Amino acid sequence: MVNVTVDPLTRIEGHLRINTEVDSAGVITDAQSSCLIFRGFERILQGQDPRDAAFLVQRICGVCPLAHGLTATNALDQLYGVADQVPKDALVMRNIFQGLNMVASHATHIYVLWGPDLANPAYKNVLATLGDTGNAVWKEMVGRFAPISYSIDGVPVPVGSSYLAAIPEKKRLQEAIALIAGRMPGPSSLYAGGYTYKANVADITKISTYYLQVMDFVAKHTLKVPFDTWIANTYKASSPQKAVSFVVEHLQGLLAKSLTTNDFSKEAGWGDAEFYAAFGSELVGEKLLGLPASLKHDIIGGYKDPSKIQFLSYGGYYKPKDGYDPRSPAEDRIIPSGIVTGKLEHLKFDPDKITESTAHSFYQNSVDDLAPIKGETDPFTDPAKIVYDQGSKSKYSWDKAPRYDGLPAEVGPLARMLNMKEPLVTGLALAFNEKGYSAANVYTRMMARIQETTILAHELLNWVTVDYDPNGKIAVPLDFEKAKNSQGMGLWEAPRGALGHWISTDGNGKVKNYQAIVPGTWLMSPRDTKGIPGPLEQALIGSKINAVGNILGVDYTNPVGIFHIGRSYDPCISCAVHTIDLTGKNDPRTLRIL
């Protein structure tokens, strides 16, 4: 048995330590996911004016500050008793804020954080065994996804065309958000009861211009099939089977030409989405399309025991009407709330079934498995107790272990697409399930993120040009007395998944307790009171550590399988767990970071 530890896992947000035990065949037999930093925002918020929460919590993460701000605003809507009164146009504008941010976040992950792993030299060695076809595929992978300042065997590699082109699109989307939200990161227009700035016709026109420029990037790099054709035959398909058939037939048409010419370029019709859809999966690429080889991303990052995993969505994006239900029933959001079991059964979401365990976390809570509204954040302060290498039975992470009805849950694009029964992703999941694969794996996780990006691009145009009325009402007044001895819950969908904020106040209307359970808390969680591993840990156990299923043997020095699995969740450890002051000189309640 060999210990393979990646510390820290790079190209993610924050500091994540992945420790694994690997057998002689290169298969992971045990794993611990350790978040290496402590998040103190819950303690910072105690004693504050609750309205400050929407601005303070944005500092939890610079990548998705809008998601935290919006979730806190949702909690404040309930705290002040105005959730059912928030004007339609305020809710549509919140959709636009989050939609732009989610597209930017997904594009950053696909191209800048996860994509460079496709240029790992391990793939060069594997693909070289396939002759001219393999070399052509490798040329495309490194030519599209190689990062800045990269070299292989000491030879500098030019930056990938898709990687490089994606960077200015992130900037463009940030500018679009700042135009209507005040600034980005840290937008200033979020407010309980609505939002503060009425976007005018000129703003909407400028956002539309930004949108068209982003869609130009999609046409040049992401999808070579016309965008409307893709949406009509996948997102709008009449069944999951028809969505998958459309994609397979489209890829077959491309391969009919490319396998004879060994031309897999964008000019030959291979957008990044089509390229990964064909070559990323053993089932799709080899068994359905007849390719000589694939990256086999569908055999890593799956769940071996479907009874110990589920897929959770809190629901995201308000329907265009006045008011909403803070408990987020499925019919209240465009992306519905819900639970999909490991066997792909659909269940109704109930926020009262959420708890957090600290059995394997560096906290000394008085009670384990607490509901979030009663949550405690009482960290260890003795450095001797903070040890990361004592195995699965110890405490080994600053992350808590959230559970829904007693079980871990994957959150994020795959969970959202499954819960909304999106045809393409649902069809892929069903196909993998029927053929004996895990429905969730690195491939389906990445395809879900790609598909969600296209769906949001489609919906954004409608929100901007149809649903939003520049002359509409954008806020309702607050009764500050209602914030005394009150509670609020904000449920939302951040780019990386289900995000919840819970707030309670005292008799003076100040924050008494604040708890945030973020996507990274769900995904990177350690074991719970029952010893059940979190989603990332489950996905690692049973997976092979090297490229293409260890096809060239076991190499413990380049565990690209671990890289793929870890990054497929788009971890954000900054959200999941910042600073702790042991001097006693600074009361955390007095810290101001506005």
Side-chain angles (χ1 to χ4, degrees):
M1 198 68 64
V2 176
N3 278 98
V4 179
T5 300
V6 180
D7 181 11
L9 180 67
T10 56
R11 278 191 271 115
I12 66 168
E13 307 302 328
H15 301 75
L16 175 66
R17 181 182 194 269
I18 295 177
N19 182 67
T20 64
E21 292 182 9
V22 184
D23 66 18
S24 59
V27 177
I28 299 170
T29 60
D30 197 14
Q32 298 89 43
S33 166
S34 299
C35 298
L36 303 182
I37 53 178
F38 166 71
R39 184 183 70 215
F41 276 85
E42 288 92 342
R43 293 155 64 88
I44 290 170
L45 283 160
Q46 293 174 6
Q48 305 288 354
D49 186 312
R51 292 172 296 171
D52 287 348
F55 304 105
L56 289 169
V57 298
Q58 292 183 48
R59 275 66 179 179
I60 290 176
C61 179
V63 175
C64 52
L66 263 167
H68 281 287
L70 282 167
T71 307
T73 303
N74 284 349
L76 296 176
D77 286 341
Q78 185 180 32
L79 186 82
Y80 287 101
V82 296
D84 62 343
Q85 305 165 43
V86 180
K88 182 267 291 184
D89 290 297
L91 297 179
V92 172
M93 187 52 69
R94 291 183 187 180
N95 285 353
I96 295 170
F97 290 162
Q98 183 65 84
L100 291 168
N101 184 215
M102 194 172 284
V103 170
S105 179
H106 283 355
T108 302
H109 177 254
I110 293 165
Y111 284 109
V112 181
L113 303 180
W114 188 86
D117 276 337
L118 298 179
N120 189 294
Y123 287 119
K124 178 182 179 181
N125 300 332
V126 173
L127 292 169
T129 65
L130 301 177
D132 291 342
T133 298
N135 289 330
V137 172
W138 167 249
K139 177 182 176 182
E140 284 300 318
M141 286 167 61
V142 74
R144 295 171 189 241
F145 304 113
I148 294 172
S149 301
Y150 189 54
S151 63
I152 296 177
D153 298 328
V155 179
V157 175
V159 62
S161 59
S162 297
Y163 177 105
L164 191 62
I167 295 173
E169 297 313 311
K170 170 68 178 288
K171 177 176 181 289
R172 202 185 314 278
L173 288 163
Q174 299 284 81
E175 290 173 352
I177 296 169
L179 180 69
I180 51 177
R183 63 188 178 192
M184 182 65 187
S188 56
S189 63
L190 303 178
Y191 191 73
Y195 80 110
T196 61
Y197 173 71
K198 182 179 287 189
N200 56 38
V201 174
D203 295 327
I204 298 303
T205 301
K206 186 68 178 291
I207 291 173
S208 299
T209 302
Y210 281 121
Y211 174 87
L212 292 173
Q213 291 172 314
V214 172
M215 292 308 295
D216 184 59
F217 166 84
V218 172
K220 289 179 178 177
H221 298 279
T222 307
L223 273 174
K224 283 302 180 178
V225 65
F227 183 76
D228 291 343
T229 301
W230 180 272
I231 290 294
N233 289 281
T234 58
Y235 177 42
K236 300 293 185 179
S238 59
S239 72
Q241 292 74 22
K242 287 189 176 181
V244 173
S245 293
F246 165 76
V247 173
V248 170
E249 289 169 9
H250 173 55
L251 297 177
Q252 286 172 333
L254 292 174
L255 285 169
K257 299 177 182 178
S258 295
L259 284 178
T260 57
T261 62
N262 287 325
D263 183 359
F264 302 99
S265 66
K266 294 171 186 175
E267 291 73 20
W270 290 92
D272 297 323
E274 288 108 330
F275 185 84
Y276 186 70
F279 291 98
S281 161
E282 177 183 82
L283 175 61
V284 176
E286 297 180 49
K287 297 184 179 180
L288 296 182
L289 297 176
L291 291 172
S294 70
L295 305 183
K296 298 185 186 296
H297 287 175
D298 47 0
I299 69 169
I300 59 172
Y303 301 119
K304 306 303 178 286
D305 186 348
S307 70
K308 289 185 169 57
I309 194 67
Q310 52 197 336
F311 303 91
L312 168 65
S313 169
Y314 286 165
Y317 302 103
Y318 315 94
K319 291 189 175 178
K321 61 182 180 63
D322 291 339
Y324 68 96
D325 186 336
R327 292 180 65 83
S328 191
E331 65 275 8
D332 211 45
R333 305 280 174 95
I334 293 171
I335 294 178
S337 65
I339 286 287
V340 174
T341 69
K343 296 182 179 179
L344 303 184
E345 302 161 328
H346 287 258
L347 303 174
K348 185 179 179 180
F349 167 65
D350 180 357
D352 294 335
K353 292 183 177 180
I354 300 168
T355 57
E356 274 193 305
S357 167
T358 58
H360 293 271
S361 311
F362 298 130
Y363 298 94
Q364 46 201 8
N365 288 16
S366 59
V367 180
D368 210 350
D369 298 308
L370 286 169
I373 195 66
K374 297 179 180 179
E376 299 175 2
T377 305
D378 191 6
F380 284 172
T381 57
D382 182 357
K385 294 183 178 181
I386 303 169
V387 182
Y388 299 99
D389 59 1
Q390 298 302 300
S392 299
K393 294 183 179 181
S394 70
K395 288 178 176 280
Y396 55 87
S397 180
W398 284 108
D399 200 4
K400 298 180 183 179
R403 296 295 184 259
Y404 180 87
D405 201 17
L407 286 176
E410 176 171 341
V411 300
L414 179 57
R416 286 192 289 263
M417 296 297 98
L418 291 175
N419 273 286
M420 73 184 295
K421 300 180 181 178
E422 193 283 323
L424 176 58
V425 176
T426 298
L428 287 171
L430 289 171
F432 282 114
N433 204 39
E434 290 167 3
K435 297 298 183 180
Y437 295 75
S438 171
N441 51 62
V442 168
Y443 178 79
T444 53
R445 217 164 275 133
M446 293 308 299
M447 287 301 297
R449 185 169 281 108
I450 292 169
Q451 181 67 353
E452 184 172 53
T453 306
T454 67
I455 290 170
L456 288 171
H458 171 76
E459 295 292 348
L460 266 167
L461 187 61
N462 189 60
W463 294 334
V464 171
T465 61
V466 178
D467 290 342
Y468 181 73
D469 179 2
N471 298 312
K473 188 177 181 181
I474 62 170
V476 293
L478 303 180
D479 179 354
F480 298 136
E481 289 297 312
K482 290 188 176 181
K484 295 179 179 179
N485 295 313
S486 185
Q487 293 182 355
M489 174 178 64
L491 300 174
W492 194 242
E493 285 292 321
R496 291 158 181 82
L499 174 60
H501 287 211
W502 287 261
I503 183 173
S504 61
T505 52
D506 60 22
N508 295 315
K510 300 295 185 182
V511 177
K512 180 171 63 177
N513 194 17
Y514 202 99
Q515 292 292 312
I517 301 181
V518 309
T521 322
W522 286 100
L523 298 169
M524 308 304 121
S525 83
R527 285 154 175 78
D528 55 25
T529 311
K530 301 174 185 176
I532 301 175
L536 171 59
E537 295 177 332
Q538 289 190 44
L540 287 164
I541 297 170
S543 291
K544 297 178 180 179
I545 66 166
N546 293 136
V548 195
N550 298 346
I551 194 170
L552 296 183
V554 180
D555 177 4
Y556 299 108
T557 68
N558 185 15
V560 67
I562 295 176
F563 302 155
H564 281 320
I565 296 166
R567 294 185 181 118
S568 72
Y569 290 99
D570 194 9
C572 188
I573 312 309
S574 298
C575 285
V577 290
H578 287 159
T579 60
I580 182 168
D581 179 12
L582 301 181
T583 67
K585 297 178 181 178
N586 302 296
D587 186 335
R589 302 184 186 193
T590 64
L591 180 61
R592 305 291 292 177
I593 55 175
L594 283 174

